[in-house]
Amino acid sequence: MPELQPIGIYTIPEISFVGRTEEELTDSSTPFEVGIARYRELARGQIVGDSYGMLKLLVSPEDGRLLGVHVFGTGATEIVHVGQAVMGCGGTVDYLVDAVFNYPTLAEAYKVAALDAANKIRNITRIDG
């Protein structure tokens, strides 16, 4: 499953991703929606003092599947595996919306980003439908 191999760049701050990029999805004309969570919006992000970190989900608006996960900030190489596991199991953004994450953790960013993407998808559906 090479498409689910996570990449980690151990810089300060860390960068990690798994799955497709926005550029790859755009080039292949694959529709997608973006959900973002900024560390500064999370209690744990404020505790660790990382106001620049973020987690981005690329989501299929057709079926809610995760297409890519990109993390920039403290612990990026640690939390990318949550998205990798969801993608490997064919999970959707709804799984992350319904999941309960420990509080305060950086992994909580998945729920925030999933809610962001799900709300955007609902708005698109409402406009189109």
Side-chain angles (χ1 to χ4, degrees):
M1 298 183 347
E3 67 278 359
L4 292 180
Q5 181 174 350
I7 304 297
I9 304 171
Y10 297 92
T11 54
I12 299 175
E14 290 182 9
I15 302 167
S16 193
F17 62 93
V18 63
R20 314 269 304 272
T21 66
E22 290 179 76
E23 183 178 8
E24 289 172 339
L25 293 169
T26 301
D27 289 348
S28 66
S29 299
T30 303
F32 67 95
E33 189 54 73
V34 178
I36 293 178
R38 291 170 181 80
Y39 280 19
R40 70 175 177 258
E41 299 167 342
L42 307 172
R44 187 66 181 173
Q46 292 176 16
I47 290 168
V48 299
D50 188 344
S51 59
Y52 297 102
M54 67 175 286
L55 181 139
K56 176 173 62 175
L57 300 177
L58 304 179
V59 180
S60 168
E62 297 165 355
D63 57 12
R65 283 180 309 110
L66 291 186
L67 303 173
V69 176
H70 304 264
V71 191
F72 172 86
T74 303
T77 57
E78 298 292 332
I79 66 172
V80 73
H81 299 99
V82 172
Q84 178 190 28
V86 172
M87 291 172 69
C89 294
T92 67
V93 71
D94 293 330
Y95 175 82
L96 294 170
V97 167
D98 294 337
V100 177
F101 289 90
N102 282 338
Y103 178 86
T105 62
L106 293 174
E108 181 189 14
Y110 278 97
K111 186 175 197 90
V112 173
L115 285 165
D116 184 41
N119 287 334
K120 290 175 181 176
I121 291 169
R122 276 191 211 100
N123 286 337
I124 290 171
T125 303
R126 202 172 302 137
I127 291 170
D128 289 346

